[in-house]
Amino acid sequence: MSPEKRTGGFKSFISGVYLLAAACLLFGVCAHCYPDAGERLRQAIAGTEDSPVREAFSVLAEGLGESRPVKEVLSESYEVLVGEKA
């Protein structure tokens, strides 16, 4: 392997590290300056506290945590999601 290829790879790696660090700093500054933006984004993605998506995920997580059959847990979670079971 020629020294030029190793140097080029190292430069690419360092550039990637710098880019990742810059993105992390940008997100940190935005989170500090706009603390409500993160919560609004989280609500837009996941919905409100009493949404069917959160309730269905809760049923899924609890069922899998209790080591119940996956097919049964997925069925219950789907029923909660579509509103057939509350």
Side-chain angles (χ1 to χ4, degrees):
M1 185 181 278
S2 69
E4 292 175 5
K5 283 190 174 185
R6 285 188 299 202
T7 305
F10 181 72
K11 287 180 182 178
S12 296
F13 174 74
I14 293 298
S15 295
V17 169
Y18 282 139
L19 181 62
L20 183 62
C24 288
L25 288 173
L26 176 64
F27 290 133
V29 168
C30 289
H32 180 72
C33 293
Y34 305 105
D36 294 338
E39 183 60 31
R40 282 185 281 172
L41 181 63
R42 193 173 301 113
Q43 284 183 354
I45 292 172
T48 59
E49 288 291 326
D50 58 347
S51 73
V53 173
R54 285 189 180 207
E55 189 175 339
F57 183 77
S58 176
V59 168
L60 179 68
E62 288 174 7
L64 293 176
E66 296 171 354
S67 299
R68 293 179 33 217
V70 174
K71 185 176 180 180
E72 178 184 323
V73 172
L74 285 174
S75 171
E76 289 178 9
S77 177
Y78 177 75
E79 289 173 354
V80 169
L81 185 63
V82 295
E84 294 176 7
K85 185 176 181 182

